[in-house]
Amino acid sequence: MKHNGECRVGMGNVCLSISSDDHDFIDYFKLYYHHSLIEASPDFSVKINIQKNITRRDIRKSLDEYRKCQWDFSEGDFSLYDNMISGNIQDGGKKCELTVEMALIASDYLPLFQDLIFKDLFYYLNRNSQENGQRQAFMIHGCGIQHEEEGFLFLGPSGSGKSTVARLSTNYIVLHDEVILLTKKNALYFIESTPYLSDIGKLKNGAAKLKAGFFLKHGPINKIEALPKSKMVTRFIQQIVPPSTFHSKSPRVPLNDMLSFTCKVIESIPFFELHFSPEDDSFWEVIKKTLE
Amino acid sequence: MEQMVIEKSDHLIFREIDGEVVIIADDGRHIHMLNETATLIWNCSDKKTSVEQIINKMCDEYDVDEDTASQDILETIKRLSDKKLIRVLNPEYRVNPV
């Protein structure tokens, strides 16, 4: 079969078409993001040109410094990360052509490329999905698990046990162990997969109506505790992956959206603190008992 | 007669949830959770309600004596002011318990 230099990736309610004249790149993309490949009509098309012939001088800034760069993802030309990524958005915001230096993709800076393709595009494409002028979809540092059509969200910073929860949930569907989409549709909340790379091999592209959420905390035994809602709000908002506009000169608007969204989620969905022992996979029994 | 009043600082985003206020600096760097006393002060930080009125409100709502309320309110005002969440206007005027 002729290689058409294209693949399609699902991200929540969005289908991205990723294409390149470099078929090795597309094969690499399909291999690494196989869990997110879908067959659907694309909502957005990204054409990627890989620059292999540039010998880059040392990458000057750290990953964290680059991630704090101020820019807005919008129509027209852009250049990011000391010109390691450049491109333009066109056709009414439905097409993007990127030129990416090989040095970026083949290094520890790959997350910048992932963030652009997945996070920034996701927020850009959902910019019009607003209620009362506020965003209704956010990317969250969280582990999303589906069981019998219901979704469960586990939140916490790095090292809190999100991937361990995913590994121990052997009879459940893992939507993602690190980055999840949380979207509000018709007064209901849904957790949805993202294409981000993961160490967990058994990810499944999908979505589930959110039933409950848990803030993870290491403990000697598995148990659930209630938290004041104000505390849940502060912990939840710190797990939101902010849109790039957050790092612009005026983050007030995205921050306002994040806080409003957080408060509405906490008011609508039961959240608890899950004291979690990584040696003991019985936390699902504790969760079921709590939610009965 | 001038009285001590309070106003909210600029550049803050806040929401009240279940009677407690969450405040975020609009650079996103600091998050604060206010307890009930601090929430009462925050909600009265309108440049019009005097600190004496806040103390009286606390006495009424929480059934505490004036000395306890006064101490609690003034300590909390100082903490909120130190964290730059509120500004105290006319601080030179002392609070006179009713």
Side-chain angles (χ1 to χ4, degrees), chain A residues 157-203:
Chain A
S158 294
S160 57
K162 297 189 294 293
S163 297
T164 306
V165 164
R167 286 197 186 95
L168 291 176
S169 301
T170 47
N171 297 325
Y172 299 75
I173 296 169
V174 179
L175 299 177
H176 207 281
D177 67 314
E178 187 65 31
V179 186
I180 278 286
L181 302 179
L182 180 59
T183 54
K184 186 180 179 188
K185 296 173 196 172
N186 299 325
L188 296 174
Y189 289 92
F190 291 84
I191 52 171
E192 297 174 280
S193 311
T194 65
Y196 277 86
L197 291 177
S198 165
D199 293 334
I200 302 291
K202 54 167 185 163
L203 297 179

Side-chain angles (χ1 to χ4, degrees), chain A residues 229-231 233-234 237-238 246 251-252 255-256 259-260 263 267, chain B residues 11-15 17-18 20 22 24-28 31 33:
Chain A
K229 284 190 174 166
S230 56
K231 194 159 192 178
V233 166
T234 62
I237 198 169
Q238 290 179 79
F246 183 80
R252 190 178 180 92
L255 195 53
N256 211 17
L259 184 53
S260 291
C263 289
E267 282 169 342
Chain B
H11 309 298
L12 299 174
I13 294 168
F14 64 93
R15 295 288 185 281
I17 185 162
D18 266 13
E20 293 186 330
V22 175
I24 304 178
D26 70 1
D27 61 3
I31 301 177
M33 273 188 315

Side-chain angles (χ1 to χ4, degrees), chain A residues 45-61:
Chain A
S45 300
V46 183
K47 172 87 186 288
I48 299 176
N49 306 306
I50 309 291
Q51 277 191 317
K52 291 181 179 174
N53 56 348
I54 291 182
T55 304
R56 163 131 318 238
R57 58 200 179 281
D58 287 338
I59 296 177
R60 280 179 273 163
K61 295 184 183 136

Side-chain angles (χ1 to χ4, degrees), chain A:
Chain A
M1 190 193 302
K2 187 180 172 189
H3 195 305
N4 65 356
E6 190 250 10
C7 64
R8 294 185 188 177
V9 170
M11 191 168 63
N13 58 344
V14 172
C15 171
L16 296 180
S17 163
I18 307 289
S19 65
S20 178
D21 293 334
D22 185 328
H23 290 183
D24 288 340
F25 173 78
I26 292 297
D27 288 341
Y28 153 90
F29 205 94
K30 283 180 180 175
L31 179 68
Y32 277 88
Y33 300 105
H34 65 91
H35 57 279
S36 294
L37 296 179
I38 61 172
E39 294 292 332
S41 295
D43 299 291
F44 195 90
S45 300
V46 183
K47 172 87 186 288
I48 299 176
N49 306 306
I50 309 291
Q51 277 191 317
K52 291 181 179 174
N53 56 348
I54 291 182
T55 304
R56 163 131 318 238
R57 58 200 179 281
D58 287 338
I59 296 177
R60 280 179 273 163
K61 295 184 183 136
S62 70
L63 185 60
D64 281 344
E65 283 174 294
Y66 278 126
R67 274 182 153 157
K68 288 174 187 167
C69 290
Q70 298 174 2
W71 68 288
D72 289 321
F73 200 87
S74 56
E75 280 198 66
D77 295 336
F78 59 87
S79 172
L80 302 170
Y81 314 130
D82 295 326
N83 213 35
M84 285 195 284
I85 298 180
S86 59
N88 64 72
I89 298 178
Q90 52 190 270
D91 193 17
K94 289 187 179 168
K95 268 189 191 173
C96 174
E97 185 149 353
L98 290 182
T99 300
V100 186
E101 288 187 21
M102 189 69 185
L104 186 93
I105 296 178
S107 71
D108 294 338
Y109 291 77
L110 177 64
L112 294 175
F113 177 73
Q114 282 198 121
D115 278 351
L116 175 65
I117 293 295
F118 302 140
K119 173 179 75 97
D120 295 323
L121 267 180
F122 168 76
Y123 279 123
Y124 175 71
L125 291 168
N126 276 282
R127 68 197 183 284
N128 294 323
S129 311
Q130 299 186 355
E131 188 179 281
N132 299 324
Q134 292 179 332
R135 281 189 182 273
Q136 300 302 306
F138 281 93
M139 205 170 263
I140 311 283
H141 281 301
C143 170
I145 307 278
Q146 180 184 346
H147 179 59
E148 293 176 358
E149 312 303 318
E150 291 180 325
F152 300 88
L153 183 60
F154 297 87
L155 298 171
S158 294
S160 57
K162 297 189 294 293
S163 297
T164 306
V165 164
R167 286 197 186 95
L168 291 176
S169 301
T170 47
N171 297 325
Y172 299 75
I173 296 169
V174 179
L175 299 177
H176 207 281
D177 67 314
E178 187 65 31
V179 186
I180 278 286
L181 302 179
L182 180 59
T183 54
K184 186 180 179 188
K185 296 173 196 172
N186 299 325
L188 296 174
Y189 289 92
F190 291 84
I191 52 171
E192 297 174 280
S193 311
T194 65
Y196 277 86
L197 291 177
S198 165
D199 293 334
I200 302 291
K202 54 167 185 163
L203 297 179
K204 187 175 187 294
N205 191 28
K209 187 163 76 89
L210 182 59
K211 167 94 174 178
F214 302 90
F215 296 98
L216 293 174
K217 185 174 179 170
H218 287 169
I221 58 169
N222 294 322
K223 66 173 182 172
I224 281 182
E225 285 194 353
L227 285 176
K229 284 190 174 166
S230 56
K231 194 159 192 178
M232 290 196 260
V233 166
T234 62
R235 288 173 75 168
F236 186 100
I237 198 169
Q238 290 179 79
Q239 301 312 318
I240 293 180
V241 180
S244 293
T245 46
F246 183 80
H247 298 300
S248 70
K249 288 176 186 171
S250 46
R252 190 178 180 92
V253 170
L255 195 53
N256 211 17
D257 283 356
M258 286 159 61
L259 184 53
S260 291
F261 183 81
T262 297
C263 289
K264 285 178 184 159
V265 171
I266 296 298
E267 282 169 342
S268 307
I269 303 291
F271 271 80
F272 307 90
E273 184 171 74
L274 172 63
H275 291 239
F276 168 63
S277 167
E279 314 297 323
D280 179 2
D281 63 357
S282 67
F283 61 90
W284 278 110
E285 297 308 312
V286 175
I287 288 171
K288 281 177 192 169
K289 241 183 188 176
T290 302
L291 297 178
E292 272 169 6

Side-chain angles (χ1 to χ4, degrees), chain B residues 3-98:
Chain B
Q3 291 189 320
M4 195 188 322
V5 295
I6 306 165
E7 65 174 359
K8 296 177 178 67
S9 294
D10 300 323
H11 309 298
L12 299 174
I13 294 168
F14 64 93
R15 295 288 185 281
E16 184 163 345
I17 185 162
D18 266 13
E20 293 186 330
V21 168
V22 175
I23 301 173
I24 304 178
D26 70 1
D27 61 3
R29 290 188 182 174
H30 302 284
I31 301 177
H32 306 271
M33 273 188 315
L34 304 189
N35 62 18
E36 285 185 29
T37 303
T39 294
L40 173 67
I41 294 167
W42 178 262
N43 287 335
C44 293
S45 300
D46 53 10
K47 293 199 284 188
K48 292 183 288 191
T49 309
S50 69
V51 172
E52 284 179 15
Q53 288 172 312
I54 298 173
I55 293 170
N56 292 338
K57 203 172 166 65
M58 186 170 185
C59 291
D60 291 340
E61 288 186 12
Y62 296 100
D63 194 24
V64 295
D65 63 83
E66 287 158 17
D67 284 343
T68 304
S70 178
Q71 186 178 353
D72 196 7
I73 292 287
L74 292 176
E75 281 174 0
T76 306
I77 286 174
K78 184 177 185 321
R79 278 202 301 274
L80 293 174
S81 177
D82 288 346
K83 289 182 180 176
K84 300 191 185 342
L85 299 178
I86 59 172
R87 277 190 292 268
V88 178
L89 306 178
N90 305 323
E92 64 274 16
Y93 293 97
R94 300 182 70 81
V95 173
N96 296 314
V98 172

